[in-house]
Amino acid sequence: MTSTDYEHPYRPLGVRAFNRLGRAGANFGLSERLEIGALRSAARRKTGLSDFGDDGHAEALEVLVTSINAEARLSAAGRLIQKSRLTDALVQRLRIQDLVTRHPEIENIDLGTIILITGLQRAGTTLLQRLLCSHPQIRGITGAEALVPVARGETAERSERSRRWRAMLAQRTVSYLAPDFQAIHPVGHDQAEEDVLLLDLNFMSQTAEATMTVPSYSRWLEEQDHTQNYEFLRRVLQVLAWQRPAGAWVLKTPHHLEFLDAFCRVFGGATVVQAHRDPRVTLASFCSMVAHGHGIFSDSVDAVEIGRHWHYKTHRMVERAMQARAEAQARQPADEPGGASFVDVSYYDLIADPINEARQICETAGIGFDETAERAAAQFMAANPQNRFGKHDYRLEDFGLTGPDIDETFAAYRDAFAVQFEDDQHPSPSADPPSPPSTERKMHAAGEQAVVVRSAETPWVGEQPARAIGDTGFIGAVATAFRDLRNPKSPDIEPVPDDVRIDGKTCLVTGANSGLGRAAAVELARRGGRMILACRPGHHGICEEITRESGSETVELVEVDLADLRSVHRCCDELRDRGVRVDIALMNAGLMTPAARQTAQGYDEMFAVHFLANRVMIDRWLSDGVVVPAVPEGDPPRIVFVSSEAHRSSAAIDFDHLGEFAPYGMKDSMRHYGLSKLVLCTYATELSRRLHRPGEGDVGVGDGDGVEGLDGDGPDGDGVEVAVHALCPGGVATNITRGAPAPLRSVVDPLLRRLFRSPEEAVEPVVWLCCAPEAGSSTGLYLHLMHRKQVSESAADPANGAMLWETSQAMVEQSRGTQ
């Protein structure tokens, strides 16, 4: 549940310390002001360019910076972020101007059909935007493109990589600074995003007043003719079209509601879609989002001031939109071609039948909506279940507003568009609609994007066991791992001798570009394995490195982002189409996020990377023949999971809400890491059972009387179709914290290198499970360092394994709709 304590925004420890230093510096007379000259100079240094364009942006920048300095009450961190944002905007202006100067043909590009989605904030516009973007003929603006329209890079591939990296960094920074924000307005670098971010480059958008207190800038913005602003937007869209052409575009932002007159002057033939929802709900929800946004940049958040400003502002927006529509229709009757077309979409109709609403919009815009488009829309809805976000909690009274006040202000708007009172359907008009039962996957839109409304802070966590490694947070986990290394038990298995070879066997390693995965790839290649390195995009040099260090010439790369199931399926398609047969699969990739992060499909990122991606891949490999179970007397393939002892201290898995996303901060990240590893160990246990032909004396993972699945002579080896094992390598100095902000990594990474073993030193248990003959003739081993152990009772419980398998099967089936 999101916080309603707006006066005390969430602050990570490092940010609190930085802000205190900033206040101390101000007390000693250090300047806190933003300086336009310094911003421009920084942009010139970064690009080596000097032409910002002569389109009136200079006045807007001056008014904005003056308002920020005088009124915004920024914290030190907020000031640093705004300085960076303004500099980046100027950098983009320089690059756009330079590109158009070198390629003047850009300004002659016909953008084709334009669909504009606008309306009151939190009225389901993002859901509608992304649904339309599923149409094969319609293009949106991705989050990466909106932040970086022109990326740095000598080639298109490098430019796109740079753009995606910048966008992912921005997304992770917001998640780090304000974990609640992702539950309120989920974003993704490859998802369709608001084009208001492009207007930010011209310094004339509502973004500033939605994130800071800048009343003088807001008043100035209202007084301007925005025709030039939309001409700038058209130019940036042409730049994007030059890089990635499209015949039809969908734009979206509530900002356009206030300036529809200027928009229609510049984009005369557009189809304008206005979404409608009860203003009581939209205003309360939006004020909450604004308050959380202000809290990122300022320690002085006045919720009542926010309510007063946006009560006035949203009323102005709908009034101006009604006036602009009336004037446009008077100038251009609906039955004459050439003018703007208007489509009204009720939020409640959108909930009931989203595909029908998309079809009507496309028909109005002159875009066909055939079986292919309908199938794509259905796949989008199936791939984006709505029960996936934390509860966004908000109340009108927190912002000094009341229901009757809102009803009086918006009476004309409500009558003009027959907007119903949401409390006709829901008992509380000041909260998101109640969620459907957890066992159902109903569509449930309740905000800018559909949000799930649950009160549980961690929806897939059940009863918590006694305190252990995961409960004491990151520091406790480090201390426990350090203790295990400094007080080692005598190993009960020996390292694999150098003369044990795996010549001719195909080995696939996920996360092979660094850390333990890289060390394992070198060792497996050195022993004769034909290596397939499954790495995140951007690691093209890793094959040469592994070849050089191992002496092997059979090393190749496949790209896969385990946090995106679309990428997972593309990787599986590539392996299938190439006829790959994997003998040893090391599922090594992992991460620990400093705060909640959401994947493109709406899952918690650690849950998705540690479990769901592995589940989907192995399901595909078995069905595609990439992994082929052994026949009796045959040599079974092996699947080895890198897990963690943190799984022992995790709470029980709440299967009713498995994988659902909910915000959490740094203090809870280790607990969620342990939970994702419990799910992984439970899955490994169940997989070993299902890929094991029962024979006399056979046992599953960790449920034997002695040690884990390998007693004296071992279970009947003829029963092993695929050998499935898991391990915890102990404390390893890896880049597992790569998703953390740079200030945190600068502290954590040296600490890990000092206290823990290098990946090359820690790789022994991995090599044993992948190469030792004993590990190939049995299944269900779990190693901690070089010791056989049982997994936790919860992970070994057959009932839990069966429930996990059944529950996650629906996710596997659903993921196929993302391909």
Side-chain angles (χ1 to χ4, degrees):
M1 182 183 297
T2 56
S3 171
T4 57
D5 185 6
Y6 304 114
E7 293 184 2
H8 302 92
Y10 168 80
R11 289 284 181 267
L13 179 61
V15 175
R16 290 202 303 270
F18 184 78
N19 286 342
R20 282 197 293 269
L21 287 173
R23 289 192 293 271
N27 291 336
F28 283 100
L30 297 180
S31 175
E32 296 181 300
R33 298 177 59 81
L34 297 175
E35 300 291 344
I36 294 177
L39 297 173
R40 289 186 179 275
S41 296
R44 292 189 186 101
R45 285 196 305 272
K46 287 186 175 184
T47 61
L49 303 170
S50 60
D51 186 359
F52 292 98
D54 184 17
D55 52 12
H57 77 280
E59 181 184 0
L61 177 59
E62 182 177 355
V63 174
L64 175 58
V65 170
T66 300
S67 182
I68 291 173
N69 286 334
E71 300 163 334
R73 307 187 296 270
L74 298 182
S75 64
R79 190 163 47 256
L80 182 64
I81 296 170
Q82 290 297 337
K83 179 180 178 181
S84 175
R85 289 185 72 250
L86 294 172
T87 302
D88 287 345
L90 289 167
V91 165
Q92 285 303 309
R93 290 191 64 89
L94 288 168
R95 289 181 178 155
I96 290 169
Q97 184 68 21
D98 175 66
L99 183 64
V100 174
T101 300
R102 289 185 290 109
H103 296 278
E105 70 274 14
I106 288 175
E107 295 190 299
N108 296 322
I109 291 176
D110 182 1
L111 293 174
T113 301
I114 302 289
I115 299 174
L116 169 69
I117 299 173
T118 189
L120 287 176
Q121 298 92 339
R122 324 300 292 166
T125 53
T126 298
L127 175 64
L128 187 55
Q129 172 200 26
R130 293 177 180 176
L131 177 60
L132 287 172
C133 284
S134 70
H135 192 294
Q137 298 177 28
I138 299 177
R139 176 204 199 298
I141 301 166
T142 68
E145 289 176 321
L147 289 172
V148 189
V150 180
R152 179 180 60 186
E154 296 80 10
T155 65
E157 181 181 356
R158 289 190 176 182
S159 294
E160 183 60 25
R161 194 182 309 149
S162 171
R163 171 185 283 152
R164 287 171 58 87
W165 180 84
R166 290 292 304 275
M168 287 189 288
L169 179 63
Q171 180 182 346
R172 291 173 180 178
T173 299
V174 171
S175 296
Y176 170 67
L177 294 172
D180 280 355
F181 203 79
Q182 191 71 351
I184 301 168
H185 182 70
V187 295
H189 65 275
D190 57 352
Q191 296 269 1
E193 194 47 78
E194 295 194 11
D195 52 281
V196 73
L197 297 176
L198 301 180
L199 295 177
D200 288 351
L201 307 182
N202 207 37
F203 311 109
M204 292 181 67
S205 83
Q206 290 179 355
T207 300
E209 55 192 311
T211 53
M212 297 177 287
T213 302
V214 284
S216 61
Y217 171 78
S218 301
R219 290 191 297 271
W220 177 86
L221 195 65
E222 292 175 0
E223 297 167 356
Q224 305 310 302
D225 179 356
H226 283 250
T227 303
Q228 173 272 327
N229 204 28
Y230 283 104
E231 289 171 346
F232 175 80
L233 174 62
R234 180 178 59 195
R235 191 185 205 201
V236 181
L237 292 176
Q238 289 171 322
V239 166
L240 294 175
W242 182 79
Q243 298 173 76
R244 185 162 67 93
W249 295 73
V250 58
L251 309 179
K252 173 259 175 181
T253 184
H255 167 102
H256 300 313
L257 201 62
E258 188 174 7
F259 306 109
L260 269 185
D261 53 348
F263 179 89
C264 291
R265 279 195 293 272
V266 176
F267 298 95
T271 298
V272 178
V273 180
Q274 186 172 349
H276 304 283
R277 188 184 179 189
D278 186 348
R280 286 189 178 197
V281 179
T282 61
L283 186 55
S285 177
F286 182 66
C287 284
S288 173
M289 186 180 84
V290 169
H292 282 279
H294 279 224
I296 296 176
F297 304 108
S298 175
D299 292 327
S300 302
V301 180
D302 187 337
V304 174
E305 178 183 68
I306 289 170
R308 182 168 54 248
H309 176 77
W310 285 99
H311 184 194
Y312 154 78
K313 186 74 168 183
T314 51
H315 177 243
R316 169 184 161 84
M317 290 164 64
V318 297
E319 290 289 314
R320 282 183 53 81
M322 287 191 289
Q323 179 182 353
R325 289 181 61 167
E327 292 174 353
Q329 289 165 349
R331 289 192 305 269
Q332 189 78 39
D335 58 351
E336 293 185 12
S341 302
F342 294 90
V343 179
D344 293 295
V345 174
S346 166
Y347 167 78
Y348 312 100
D349 293 339
L350 180 62
I351 292 174
D353 193 347
I355 295 178
N356 183 59
E357 296 300 316
R359 179 186 296 106
Q360 292 184 26
I361 292 169
C362 287
E363 290 174 354
T364 302
I367 300 172
F369 200 86
D370 56 14
E371 291 183 1
T372 300
E374 184 166 352
R375 184 163 55 250
Q379 289 175 345
F380 169 83
M381 296 306 301
N384 290 270
Q386 305 310 312
N387 287 9
R388 62 184 191 173
F389 306 122
K391 182 180 185 299
H392 179 196
D393 188 28
Y394 50 83
R395 297 178 294 272
L396 272 174
E397 55 267 28
D398 288 341
F399 306 97
L401 304 173
T402 67
D405 291 339
I406 304 303
D407 296 341
E408 180 179 356
T409 300
F410 290 91
Y413 163 73
R414 194 186 291 274
D415 291 342
F417 298 103
V419 180
Q420 68 186 64
F421 288 90
E422 198 157 299
D423 56 353
D424 289 346
Q425 297 181 4
H426 305 290
S428 172
S430 61
D432 285 320
S435 65
S438 59
T439 54
E440 301 178 10
R441 290 281 178 179
K442 295 181 179 177
M443 178 193 170
H444 183 66
E448 268 295 285
Q449 203 184 32
V451 296
V452 113
V453 220
R454 297 191 63 253
S455 59
E457 293 184 3
T458 310
W460 49 298
V461 177
E463 182 179 353
Q464 186 76 20
R467 290 177 64 83
I469 183 172
D471 303 311
T472 53
F474 178 76
I475 298 301
V478 170
T480 302
F482 180 71
R483 180 199 63 199
D484 290 342
L485 293 176
R486 291 300 177 267
N487 299 284
K489 300 176 183 177
S490 298
D492 52 21
I493 55 176
E494 295 297 325
V496 179
D498 288 342
D499 59 358
V500 173
R501 305 282 297 174
I502 53 172
D503 293 303
K505 292 189 179 296
T506 299
C507 307
L508 184 145
V509 181
T510 65
N513 53 284
S514 65
L516 192 68
R518 187 184 187 283
V522 170
E523 182 62 19
L524 295 177
R526 189 181 65 79
R527 291 176 181 268
R530 295 195 301 261
M531 301 306 303
I532 299 176
L533 313 180
C535 305
R536 288 176 289 120
H539 297 283
H540 299 288
I542 188 62
C543 289
E544 290 184 10
E545 295 176 15
I546 301 298
T547 295
R548 183 172 60 251
E549 295 178 30
S550 66
S552 171
E553 296 295 333
T554 54
V555 182
E556 53 188 304
L557 175 72
V558 294
E559 290 189 342
V560 60
D561 180 357
L562 298 182
D564 187 343
L565 295 180
R566 294 169 297 186
S567 176
V568 171
H569 278 290
R570 286 194 295 268
C571 176
C572 292
D573 290 342
E574 179 179 348
L575 295 175
R576 177 201 61 202
D577 295 345
R578 286 165 47 185
V580 171
R581 290 277 293 269
V582 172
D583 300 294
I584 300 170
L586 175 58
M587 318 306 280
N588 159 80
L591 78 168
M592 187 174 74
T593 61
R597 287 214 304 254
Q598 187 179 23
T599 69
Q601 286 74 43
Y603 297 105
D604 178 85
E605 185 170 4
M606 287 193 283
F607 169 85
V609 171
H610 295 159
F611 164 66
L612 187 55
N614 289 329
R615 171 85 162 89
V616 169
M617 277 197 293
I618 291 170
D619 182 86
R620 281 289 308 271
W621 292 347
L622 290 169
S623 63
D624 292 346
V626 174
V627 172
V628 180
V631 297
E633 307 298 334
D635 188 12
R638 307 185 194 194
I639 299 175
V640 178
F641 297 97
V642 177
S643 187
S644 169
E645 282 289 272
H647 86 275
R648 299 186 186 278
S649 61
S650 174
I653 303 167
D654 181 355
F655 292 105
D656 286 340
H657 307 295
L658 184 69
E660 288 183 11
F661 178 82
Y664 54 85
M666 189 182 302
K667 68 178 182 180
D668 291 323
S669 61
M670 189 65 206
R671 183 161 59 93
H672 283 260
Y673 175 82
L675 179 59
S676 68
K677 291 299 188 178
L678 172 61
V679 176
L680 177 61
C681 283
T682 305
Y683 169 62
T685 303
E686 184 63 19
L687 184 66
S688 72
R689 293 192 187 101
R690 291 174 182 255
L691 297 178
H692 186 204
R693 292 186 301 274
E696 183 178 355
D698 290 349
V699 295
V701 180
D703 58 359
D705 293 332
V707 205
E708 43 310 304
L710 187 62
D711 56 25
D713 296 330
D716 182 1
D718 290 343
V720 179
E721 296 180 339
V722 178
V724 180
H725 307 300
L727 73 130
C728 169
V732 188
T734 70
N735 69 341
I736 192 172
T737 60
R738 65 179 182 272
L744 181 62
R745 292 200 310 272
S746 66
V747 175
V748 172
D749 290 348
L751 177 66
L752 295 183
R753 287 194 295 270
R754 185 174 183 84
L755 297 180
F756 291 165
R757 296 175 301 167
S758 69
E760 292 72 21
E761 295 170 320
V763 79
E764 285 185 346
V766 177
V767 174
W768 197 91
L769 290 175
C770 290
C771 301
E774 303 96 305
S777 62
S778 186
T779 191
L781 284 167
Y782 177 82
L783 301 184
H784 177 211
L785 301 171
M786 294 294 278
H787 307 278
R788 303 176 198 159
K789 297 178 71 172
Q790 294 186 12
V791 294
S792 70
E793 291 185 11
S794 177
D797 188 340
N800 286 341
M803 180 64 74
L804 176 63
W805 192 276
E806 177 182 350
T807 305
S808 61
Q809 184 62 35
M811 299 178 186
V812 173
E813 296 293 336
Q814 192 174 72
S815 77
R816 291 177 179 141
T818 67
Q819 298 180 67

